[in-house]
Amino acid sequence: MRPFLTVALVIAGGVLAKDPDCHYKLKETVSSPRGWVKHGIPPPDHNINLRIGLPQPNFGLLEQHLYEVSDPYHERYGQHLSKEEVEALVAPHDESISSVDKWLASFGFKGEDVERSPAKDWVKLRVPVALAEEMLNTTYFVWKHLQSGDFLVRTTSYSLPDFVHAHVDVVQPTTMFGRFKGSKSTIISVDDAPELKMSTTTIDIGNGISVDPSCNATVTVNCLKQLYNATEFVGQGKGSVGITGYLEENANLQDLQTFFAEQRPDAVGSNFTFISVAGGINNQSLDAAGAEAGLDVQFAFGVSHPVPATFYSTAGRPPFKPDVNTPTDTNEPYQDWLDFVFSHPNPPLAISTSYGDDEQTVPESYAKRACNGFAQLGARGVSLMFSSGDGGVGDNDPNPETQQCFTNDGKNTTRFIPGFPATCPFVTSVGGTAFIPEVAVSRFFSGGGFSDYFARPKYQDKVVTKYLNALPKGTYAGLFNPKGRAHPDVSALSDRYRIWLSGRPVLIGGTSASSPAFTGFVALLNDARLSKGLPPLGFLNPLLYSIPEAFNDITVGHNSGCGTTGFNVTEGWDPVTGLELPISESFWNS
């Protein structure tokens, strides 16, 4: 990277002569975001890790490949692409690369001053905010989120020179006000988590499946394997499973071993591979143990053992700290993880993420580029799972008193609020259920609904159209987009999971529980397939929606939010529990 002094001289002394015929044209603008107020002006030397996304002219061809290799009825099913093949399909035109280089050169940047993604479709450079303002013809402010107290350095619009305008899809962080918060795991009990006891009776839920009644009070790995008909499923240690960690959430190894000793004795002594992304750490002090990270690794790796496991810790968080003399750079840690995993030759084959934003807080241009990134991983044979959120049809806030159900476009129109990345059509969104037999979770609400950014994919047409046609005419008219990508796709138990946190047993819940649990089962399926010489499952949704008969259907409940009861659970797919979780032996033995 170029020395900071050089950049400072450019700002202070005007070393570079700008082209007087260069005209800027507005690239993107957003309304003043609801719930955010201007707090001040950032220091001119505050650093921004600027990312510039170049167009991917052949993405349509990549998408075609993705659906062909993910369709169980297509002759190419399972013939996933290589890293190099995917990169070739998302590479920008040479003209776009040269135009962006010309723009950056006008501000003194040379080739060695910037980082490029392997496909050259992203350019990253670290610049002080004063230079970013000049490059983008904009003004950054420090914004404060009134409800949480978070701060961000953002602008509400930016422009680009005419000659580069068509050669850039998106520049961030600029207009993105999402805080990339965790799906709000709720700790039910810390000191008095009940002692684990097995019952002498069972609950018969049909299909030859019996579950220990104690699973209604405390969910364990054994409960999940009983409920989803996988008690006889023995892994061979093939494939891989991964968990993403953000916001300084630490996965404690001592807690994991205690969890294994209690719930998965054959896993005691096994461990995960820790990978630091952009300087991420995994503090092993018991006091620093994270509830989110602990839940994710204990259940994903407890279910999937002995499949090799990976925990990623990505440094940084979007919020700016205005009272710190040397604040951290403004960045997007989620994109840091994507950059890393794109460059990795062998990423885990099943990955769970329990973090997200309200879709409307993420600019559509950025959401679509991130979603395209998920498609790249799917084409390479990676299954990506995201929790659907815990706010029902509202924002990702399970507290109905503080939910915000208004559009972020300045009109403040009442609207159901879908969540991102769960609305991306190239990922599998995981909702939540509770109790045995299962119903839609009621203590907090399984996030679900319809995207305002992404159209409904073809693999959903049959089941979603059936659901919408059964809705009474006019139900929630204007509150959701019936033509949007619907979610969740599947669901699983999400309440009263027993984990170990800082040396103590804790009951915890949320869709941040169901997503890693489901991912553990996906890892086991991949293990079975690889053991038979078959390819991994990769992008799951075309397969899942092709076999609705393989799922345990949930028919009780709803997902309240925004002062309504939300959508009702019905026979078949619904925007509360999705398809639920596969239970048929033929599916597990596929």
Side-chain angles (χ1 to χ4, degrees):
M1 297 293 281
R2 75 194 315 198
F4 177 78
L5 178 60
T6 304
V7 180
L9 287 173
V10 172
I11 299 170
V15 173
L16 303 173
K18 295 185 65 175
D19 184 350
D21 296 323
C22 178
H23 298 287
Y24 274 74
K25 184 169 67 174
L26 182 67
K27 183 65 177 178
E28 187 169 42
T29 185
V30 298
S31 300
S32 178
R34 183 180 179 85
W36 293 87
V37 295
K38 286 182 181 178
H39 179 76
I41 298 174
D45 60 350
H46 172 70
N47 291 320
I48 296 178
N49 291 313
L50 212 58
R51 299 178 184 275
I52 303 163
L54 282 63
Q56 302 167 325
N58 294 316
F59 179 78
L61 184 56
L62 172 74
E63 187 175 10
Q64 177 184 331
H65 283 291
L66 172 66
Y67 280 117
E68 288 179 355
V69 302
S70 306
D71 180 354
Y73 300 106
H74 197 280
E75 62 182 3
R76 292 186 61 205
Y77 181 61
Q79 297 176 24
H80 301 114
L81 305 185
S82 68
K83 173 179 177 291
E84 292 73 22
E85 288 171 330
V86 168
E87 289 168 1
L89 288 169
V90 298
H93 287 316
D94 289 343
E95 183 183 359
S96 294
I97 296 173
S98 62
S99 295
V100 170
D101 285 351
K102 176 183 176 182
W103 171 48
L104 297 180
S106 72
F107 289 93
F109 290 97
K110 300 177 182 179
E112 62 269 21
D113 298 327
V114 302
E115 297 178 31
R116 301 179 192 273
S117 63
K120 298 183 178 180
D121 56 333
W122 283 98
V123 172
K124 177 182 174 183
L125 59 159
R126 182 172 181 257
V127 300
V129 68
L131 181 55
E133 290 178 334
E134 187 178 357
M135 294 172 64
L136 302 173
N137 193 30
T138 190
T139 300
Y140 279 85
F141 292 93
V142 178
W143 294 78
K144 181 178 181 180
H145 189 246
L146 295 176
Q147 182 180 339
S148 68
D150 283 348
F151 294 90
L152 289 176
V153 176
R154 293 292 188 268
T155 180
T156 54
S157 67
Y158 66 93
S159 301
L160 294 171
D162 284 340
F163 73 87
V164 80
H165 204 274
H167 299 289
V168 171
D169 276 346
V170 61
V171 180
Q172 289 293 348
T174 50
T175 57
M176 182 168 164
F177 283 82
R179 294 178 294 124
F180 197 60
K181 48 191 179 289
S183 295
K184 290 180 168 46
S185 300
T186 303
I187 296 176
I188 307 166
S189 172
V190 175
D191 295 319
D192 57 351
E195 181 182 352
L196 282 182
K197 293 182 179 180
M198 297 296 291
S199 303
T200 57
T201 59
T202 60
I203 300 174
D204 184 357
I205 63 171
N207 297 305
I209 298 173
S210 296
V211 182
D212 193 305
S214 67
C215 297
N216 268 314
T218 304
V219 174
T220 64
V221 169
N222 194 50
C223 290
L224 294 172
K225 289 203 165 189
Q226 288 179 357
L227 181 61
Y228 302 124
N229 198 22
T231 54
E232 304 301 320
F233 201 89
V234 180
Q236 302 300 311
K238 303 288 186 180
S240 48
V241 59
I243 291 293
T244 61
Y246 300 92
L247 309 182
E248 290 83 56
E249 275 279 330
N250 302 301
N252 187 269
L253 299 176
Q254 182 177 329
D255 282 341
L256 178 63
Q257 292 303 315
T258 306
F259 175 85
F260 281 161
E262 181 182 74
Q263 296 192 33
R264 194 70 202 255
D266 60 325
V268 171
S270 66
N271 203 345
F272 55 79
T273 298
F274 169 67
I275 295 181
S276 170
V277 179
I281 63 174
N282 192 26
N283 187 340
Q284 288 305 295
S285 166
L286 271 179
D287 291 340
E292 183 74 73
L295 168 64
D296 289 352
V297 302
Q298 289 173 34
F299 270 89
F301 304 160
V303 168
S304 63
H305 180 76
V307 175
T310 297
F311 175 68
Y312 295 95
S313 176
T314 303
R317 56 172 66 215
F320 171 77
K321 303 297 183 183
D323 299 324
V324 178
N325 290 332
T326 308
T328 57
D329 295 356
T330 286
N331 68 342
E332 293 299 337
Y334 188 59
Q335 188 63 49
D336 284 337
W337 179 80
L338 278 175
D339 288 347
F340 179 88
V341 79
F342 286 157
S343 66
H344 199 286
N346 297 298
L349 295 175
I351 302 175
S352 176
T353 299
S354 295
Y355 299 81
D357 292 314
D358 301 334
E359 187 183 69
Q360 66 173 356
T361 67
V362 182
E364 186 172 354
S365 59
Y366 180 82
K368 289 186 173 180
R369 276 304 293 259
C371 189
N372 288 358
F374 304 140
Q376 294 177 49
L377 291 173
R380 290 173 58 181
V382 177
S383 302
L384 292 172
M385 275 60 68
F386 284 85
S387 55
S388 70
D390 299 336
V393 293
D395 63 5
N396 194 31
D397 184 349
N399 184 350
E401 300 299 323
T402 54
Q403 273 194 351
Q404 300 291 320
C405 298
F406 304 93
T407 57
N408 213 23
D409 57 4
K411 299 178 182 178
N412 292 335
T413 306
T414 302
R415 186 82 169 173
F416 290 165
I417 307 297
F420 179 81
T423 53
C424 171
F426 306 129
V427 307
T428 300
S429 172
V430 185
T433 64
F435 303 120
I436 314 293
E438 290 173 274
V439 298
V441 70
S442 59
R443 186 175 57 80
F444 39 81
F445 310 108
S446 178
F450 300 81
S451 173
D452 288 320
Y453 288 174
F454 301 100
R456 183 169 67 237
K458 289 183 179 179
Y459 60 74
Q460 285 193 320
D461 276 344
K462 183 177 180 180
V463 296
V464 174
T465 299
K466 178 182 177 182
Y467 179 84
L468 292 173
N469 287 342
L471 279 179
K473 188 174 182 180
T475 301
Y476 300 140
L479 294 182
F480 72 99
N481 173 24
K483 296 181 179 180
R485 186 275 204 257
H487 79 106
D489 302 299
V490 295
S491 60
L493 281 180
S494 62
D495 204 4
R496 308 187 73 85
Y497 276 53
R498 182 184 174 95
I499 70 167
W500 285 81
L501 178 65
S502 300
R504 295 178 292 176
V506 173
L507 294 185
I508 194 170
T511 53
S512 53
S514 51
S515 181
F518 177 80
T519 300
F521 285 114
V522 174
L524 284 180
L525 286 171
N526 280 334
D527 179 302
R529 290 178 59 83
L530 293 167
S531 297
K532 296 177 182 178
L534 298 172
L537 291 167
F539 174 44
L540 293 171
N541 293 4
L543 168 65
L544 299 179
Y545 283 90
S546 71
I547 49 170
E549 68 280 358
F551 292 82
N552 178 30
D553 194 20
I554 306 300
T555 57
V556 178
H558 52 83
N559 60 347
S560 300
C562 301
T564 74
T565 57
F567 294 107
N568 286 325
V569 176
T570 63
E571 181 180 347
W573 179 91
D574 54 71
V576 186
T577 62
L579 297 166
E580 228 283 314
L581 193 72
I583 60 169
S584 73
E585 290 186 21
S586 61
F587 188 85
W588 290 118
N589 293 323
S590 62

